Amino acid sequence: MARKLVKKRGKKVGAAPGTLVHVGDKTDTVAQIRVVDYDQEHLRDQRLKDPNACRAFKSGPRVAWINVEGVHEVHTVEALGQGLGLHPLVMEDILNTDQRPKVESYDDYLYIVIKMLQYDPLQHEIRPEQVSLILARHYVLSCQERAGNVFDGVRERLRTGRRIRFLGTDYLAYALLDAIVDNYFALLEQLGERIEALEEELITRPTPATLAQIHHFKREMLLLRKAVWPLREALAKLTRDETSLIAAETRIYLRDVYDHCVHVLDTLETLRDLLAGMLDLYLSSISNRMNEIMKVLTIMATIFIPLTFIAGVYGMNFEHMPELAWPWAYPAVLLLMLGVAAGLLVFFRLRKWI
C-alpha cells in the first residue's frame, strides 16, 4: 500500500489558532528530555523528567542545548513552551509534524523547522521526521519526533571541547542544521545505489515488479523534494536577514550549509530525471518485447499460410485429381511444402527481417 504524502489533521481542522493538538504518527514511547549545558571549561549532560526544570536554562550563565525526543506528549511541549516563554503558535507548530521547512523571527528567539530524513534499507523508503529548533540567546531547543543518532556527532564535539564550546548558541544551531543536511548526502547515496541497481534490472529483464519499484521511488523523490526545496529558502533567510541572535562569523558557516542544500537539490533533480527516463525506458522495453513477439508470430503465420493452401488443395475430395494417383505424389507435396518454407526463410533473411 502506498504511503500517504499528506498527514491527517483529525481534530486540528477547525480548531482555534494556538490549539495544542499533536498531528503525526502515534507512539506509546515516553518523551525524553536531555539537556547539555556548557562553557569553555565545563560541560554537564543530564536527563530531566520534569519539563518545568528547563526554566532555569532560559537565561543561565552557560549555553544550554535542550533536546526533546518525542513531541507526541502535548503536556510536555506545553510545559516547555510556557517555561521558555514560547508563543502558542510556535508550540502549535512543534506539535504539528506536517510543517514545511521555514524560519520565523520572534522578539527574543528564532523558530526553525527542518526535516530529518533517514533511509530504511528493508522497506526501501524514506522515513521523514520533523525537527523544530528554537534559537535563543542562552539556549537552543530541539524537538524531535523520535530518538535518533544524527546528533551524536554534535554531542561528541561538545564532549571533546572543540571549537563549538567556545562559541554561542548560534553556532550550536548551525551544527545541528549541518548534521541534518549532511545526513541528506548519505540518504541520496543509498537511494542512488538502489536506483542504479533498478536501472540495470530494467535493461536486462524488466517485469511488472520493476514498474512498481519505479513508481515507488518516484513517490520517495516527491517526499524528498518536499523536504529539501523549501529548506533552501529557509537557509537563505538565515544568512540574509539581520538579527542579533546570529553573529557575522556564524553566517559564513550557514552559507556553507546553504551550498550543501543546493548540492542536495541538484542531486535530487538528477535522480528524478533518471527515474523519469527509466519509466520511458520501461514502456519502450515492453513495447519492443511485444513487437518481437508479434514479429515471430507473423513470420510463423506467413510461412504456414502457403503450406496451409497446398494442404487444403490436396485435401479436397475431387474424383479427377491426377496427382492423387501418382506413386510419388505424397513425398512430392511434402518436398514442395519444405521448399516453399525454406524459400520464405531465405527471403526473410535476405530482407533482414529475421
Side-chain angles (χ1 to χ4, degrees):
M1 182 178 179
R3 181 174 45 172
K4 293 184 179 295
L5 297 178
V6 180
K7 296 182 180 180
K8 293 183 178 180
R9 295 179 177 263
K11 297 180 181 179
K12 189 66 179 176
V13 178
T19 303
L20 300 185
V21 177
H22 175 250
V23 177
D25 298 331
K26 303 297 182 181
T27 177
D28 296 330
T29 59
V30 179
Q32 301 291 326
I33 302 176
R34 184 175 182 179
V35 180
V36 180
D37 60 312
Y38 60 90
D39 55 20
Q40 298 180 10
E41 302 296 334
H42 305 90
L43 180 141
R44 179 176 57 178
D45 189 348
Q46 58 183 323
R47 293 187 180 273
L48 302 179
K49 294 183 178 180
D50 185 8
N52 293 306
C54 295
R55 294 174 182 266
F57 303 101
K58 181 179 179 181
S59 57
R62 301 195 292 184
V63 175
W65 172 21
I66 307 170
N67 186 64
V68 181
E69 295 177 346
V71 296
H72 55 282
E73 294 183 359
V74 177
H75 63 88
T76 300
V77 176
E78 184 177 11
L80 275 172
Q82 292 176 353
L84 298 175
L86 302 182
H87 195 280
L89 291 179
V90 173
M91 291 187 284
E92 178 186 9
D93 288 347
I94 292 175
L95 291 170
N96 182 5
T97 60
D98 197 29
Q99 296 289 324
R100 70 192 300 269
K102 62 180 180 178
V103 175
E104 293 180 349
S105 299
Y106 289 84
D107 293 336
D108 54 352
Y109 60 87
L110 293 177
Y111 175 51
I112 306 169
V113 178
I114 187 173
K115 295 293 185 179
M116 184 184 296
L117 305 175
Q118 294 180 320
Y119 183 71
D120 186 351
L122 298 178
Q123 299 295 329
H124 300 296
E125 66 180 19
I126 300 172
R127 297 178 60 196
E129 175 187 355
Q130 177 173 300
V131 178
S132 299
L133 298 177
I134 303 294
L135 169 58
R137 184 71 60 186
H138 299 282
Y139 70 89
V140 172
L141 171 64
S142 58
C143 299
Q144 303 177 236
E145 292 186 57
R146 53 183 175 267
N149 58 0
V150 176
F151 292 152
D152 287 350
V154 179
R155 294 188 178 95
E156 181 62 26
R157 290 164 61 189
L158 286 170
R159 282 192 294 266
T160 55
R162 297 181 182 177
R163 178 182 178 87
I164 190 173
R165 292 264 293 273
F166 294 83
L167 298 172
T169 56
D170 55 345
Y171 192 86
L172 174 60
Y174 148 74
L176 298 178
L177 291 172
D178 186 57
I180 294 175
V181 174
D182 283 348
N183 190 61
Y184 290 171
F185 289 103
L187 170 69
L188 288 173
E189 181 179 351
Q190 293 174 302
L191 279 174
E193 291 177 355
R194 184 66 189 94
I195 291 174
E196 289 176 1
L198 188 62
E199 185 180 25
E200 294 181 2
E201 177 184 340
L202 179 62
I203 294 175
T204 55
R205 187 65 178 175
T207 62
T210 308
L211 179 61
Q213 284 291 307
I214 293 175
H215 282 294
H216 169 74
F217 281 108
K218 284 178 69 67
R219 289 177 62 89
E220 296 302 300
M221 290 297 107
L222 287 176
L223 178 64
L224 183 57
R225 190 176 188 273
K226 179 182 177 182
V228 180
W229 187 263
L231 177 60
R232 183 178 67 171
E233 177 184 347
L235 292 173
K237 183 176 181 179
L238 283 177
T239 59
R240 181 180 62 247
D241 292 357
E242 294 294 334
T243 174
S244 59
L245 293 172
I246 301 178
E249 182 181 0
T250 306
R251 294 183 188 276
I252 299 175
Y253 293 101
L254 288 173
R255 285 201 297 267
D256 182 64
V257 180
Y258 175 81
D259 291 339
H260 290 174
C261 181
V262 173
H263 188 186
V264 169
L265 278 174
D266 290 341
T267 307
L268 170 61
E269 293 301 324
T270 300
L271 292 178
R272 290 187 65 201
D273 292 341
L274 181 60
L275 284 170
M278 289 170 61
L279 183 59
D280 294 338
L281 180 60
Y282 173 83
L283 297 177
S284 299
S285 300
I286 296 299
S287 178
N288 290 337
R289 288 182 58 192
M290 183 62 66
N291 290 338
E292 289 295 327
I293 294 173
M294 294 305 299
K295 176 181 176 181
V296 172
L297 294 178
T298 302
I299 290 175
M300 293 177 62
T302 304
I303 291 175
F304 277 94
I305 284 175
L307 305 185
T308 304
F309 172 76
I310 296 174
V313 169
Y314 288 99
M316 294 184 294
N317 296 321
F318 291 115
E319 181 178 356
H320 301 288
M321 292 186 69
E323 294 87 355
L324 297 179
W326 294 353
W328 297 97
Y330 177 70
V333 171
L334 291 180
L335 289 175
L336 175 62
M337 292 182 176
L338 182 61
V340 171
L344 288 174
L345 288 174
V346 171
F347 176 74
F348 293 152
R349 177 69 69 177
L350 293 177
R351 297 298 300 267
K352 297 182 180 180
W353 290 349
I354 57 174

